[in-house]
Amino acid sequence: MNKNTIFDNTEIAFALKSDSELERAYFLFKMISIEPLVRIGTAATNFALKAKLPVEGLIRATVFDHFCGGVNEENCLPVIDNMYEKGVSSVLDYSVEGKENETEFDAALKITLKIINFAEERKSIPIAVFKPSGFGRIALFEKIGAHTTLSEKETEEWSRVKYRFETVCKAAKERDVLLLIDAEESWMQNAADDLITELMRKYNTEKAIVFNTLQMYRHDRLDFLKQQHKLAKAEGFYLGYKLVRGAYMEKENERAEKLGYPTPICENKQATDLNFNNAVAYMLDHLDEMSIFNGTHNENSSYLLMDLMSEKGVANSDKRVWFGQLYGMSDHISFNLSHLGYNVAKYVPFGPVKDVMPYLIRRAEENTSVAGQTGRELNLLSKEKKRRKKL
């Protein structure tokens, strides 16, 4: 496979962007590339929202509209339909974070069920998603993962968390909608993993419907995948995994240092890349028993999966293999892959502007910290601007 050209086709990558949207994208990535500006912008935005200053319109017209589909599901439909015309599906992601009470958890359940129903009616949305912390308190997941005795009240609370998980998995199975469950901090993940395995056992009987997420910057995740594979084989159910590199590295390292335990994070970027690619290869080797959602903005990891599929005679359109990127990022990967007939889905975040701000801030910070990511986006946007000027 010629690795020098596939993702370089900017005409395909940015076909959906008008000239003004192209300019906005270039401006945003230019801003994101300046680290002090991201820090100042983050602080100023947080202050403005807390002080109820009238900045929502400005946020909406710039960063929100670039990285989010809309404020609710219906609002996202023009974005979803446009992308689907180019063969890119959508994963509607209710990106409201940091909620802590039962009313908010029940509201998140209601919205997730609504998304699953919404997805059943639309070929363009074959996948739904939710975060474990959207359905229960992180501290409760942490207690369960550490096998700490729960109070009677906490036991009842955990029953409600399990009920929420069970309800969405059952709905996904009934409607044949794939369900991705995001990963979070390692100290809450054990409880989530155990619960998701239980649900895979119950609902992944004919194929993978329920997908857990493996953050491959954790050095224990490949072993975990192999153990889960052994279990699934013995018990006769299918595995579904979304592979990502991970999103909480600084927080993980800081906590490990503070509490004096070995960090769960790989020693460096190279080790993480190797871990990720080994997991991709392992899953492709056992595709008869598992499905993969390759959630990456890394071109080499995307090429690796393409090469392995080709070597093993797996069709580009095989429904057990998905490539995924975030809306507003890596269009050169998403749209060029879909052009070649691969299954591609963009995570399309939505929610009220002020509630989605923690998500948007994380996106900006991640882009600043990932070496080469923003530079690559800028180069390709610049290339497309020049191409259009010559027309």
Side-chain angles (χ1 to χ4, degrees), residues 11-31:
E11 186 178 357
I12 290 171
F14 302 120
L16 292 180
K17 283 199 181 346
S18 65
D19 289 351
S20 63
E21 285 168 338
L22 202 66
E23 290 295 346
R24 181 183 67 192
Y26 186 82
F27 170 77
L28 282 174
F29 281 111
K30 196 81 182 153
M31 295 299 102

Side-chain angles (χ1 to χ4, degrees), residues 190-207:
N190 287 349
D193 286 341
D194 291 346
L195 183 49
I196 297 163
T197 298
E198 211 177 291
L199 293 161
M200 281 193 198
R201 190 183 275 122
K202 189 168 179 180
Y203 294 108
N204 290 2
T205 47
E206 287 99 37
K207 64 175 184 179

Side-chain angles (χ1 to χ4, degrees), residues 17 21 57 72 85 95 115 122-123 137 139 163 181 183 220 247 259 263 282 290 341 343 376:
K17 283 199 181 346
E21 285 168 338
N72 56 42
E85 277 181 29
S95 296
I115 291 169
R122 289 170 177 82
K123 282 185 178 174
R137 289 185 304 117
Y163 167 78
I181 304 172
D220 63 344
L259 299 180
T263 178
Y282 185 85
M290 54 184 79
N343 298 312
R376 178 71 165 138

Side-chain angles (χ1 to χ4, degrees), residues 23 384-391:
E23 290 295 346
E384 177 60 8
K385 279 166 65 177
K386 283 174 191 158
R387 188 193 71 81
R388 290 187 188 186
K389 272 179 190 153
K390 285 177 188 168
L391 294 178

Side-chain angles (χ1 to χ4, degrees), residues 36-207:
L37 209 57
V38 171
R39 281 202 303 273
I40 294 161
T42 297
T45 304
N46 280 332
F47 171 77
L49 289 169
K50 277 179 189 145
K52 297 191 166 53
L53 297 176
V55 291
E56 281 201 17
L58 176 64
I59 293 166
R60 180 84 211 251
T62 53
V63 66
F64 184 92
D65 279 356
H66 180 80
F67 289 111
C68 299
V71 293
N72 56 42
E73 309 91 302
E74 287 80 8
N75 213 220
C76 295
L77 280 175
V79 161
I80 289 165
D81 293 342
N82 274 348
M83 290 201 296
Y84 196 60
E85 277 181 29
K86 299 290 181 188
V88 174
S89 298
S90 294
V91 182
L92 268 180
D93 181 16
Y94 182 59
S95 296
V96 172
E97 301 180 0
K99 302 300 182 187
E100 279 289 302
N101 65 59
E102 295 294 302
T103 309
E104 288 166 331
F105 298 144
D106 286 337
L109 168 63
K110 211 170 165 182
I111 286 170
T112 309
L113 288 171
K114 193 176 172 188
I115 291 169
I116 291 169
N117 291 332
F118 203 64
E120 185 193 17
E121 296 159 16
R122 289 170 177 82
K123 282 185 178 174
S124 53
I125 315 171
I127 306 168
V129 64
F130 73 93
K131 283 170 84 75
S133 61
F135 284 2
R137 289 185 304 117
I138 287 179
L140 184 64
F141 280 96
E142 190 179 350
K143 258 191 146 177
I144 296 210
H147 305 292
T148 309
T149 308
L150 301 183
S151 67
E152 197 178 323
K153 194 179 168 201
E154 285 170 332
T155 304
E156 285 171 15
E157 190 186 348
W158 183 242
S159 294
R160 289 193 295 275
V161 174
K162 286 170 78 171
Y163 167 78
R164 291 180 192 111
F165 271 73
E166 173 86 40
T167 304
V168 292
C169 290
K170 186 171 185 283
K173 169 85 170 182
E174 285 168 356
R175 288 159 181 75
D176 198 25
V177 172
L178 304 185
L179 183 66
L180 305 176
I181 304 172
D182 282 343
E184 300 189 63
E185 293 91 341
S186 61
W187 51 94
M188 70 156 290
Q189 195 60 41
N190 287 349
D193 286 341
D194 291 346
L195 183 49
I196 297 163
T197 298
E198 211 177 291
L199 293 161
M200 281 193 198
R201 190 183 275 122
K202 189 168 179 180
Y203 294 108
N204 290 2
T205 47
E206 287 99 37
K207 64 175 184 179

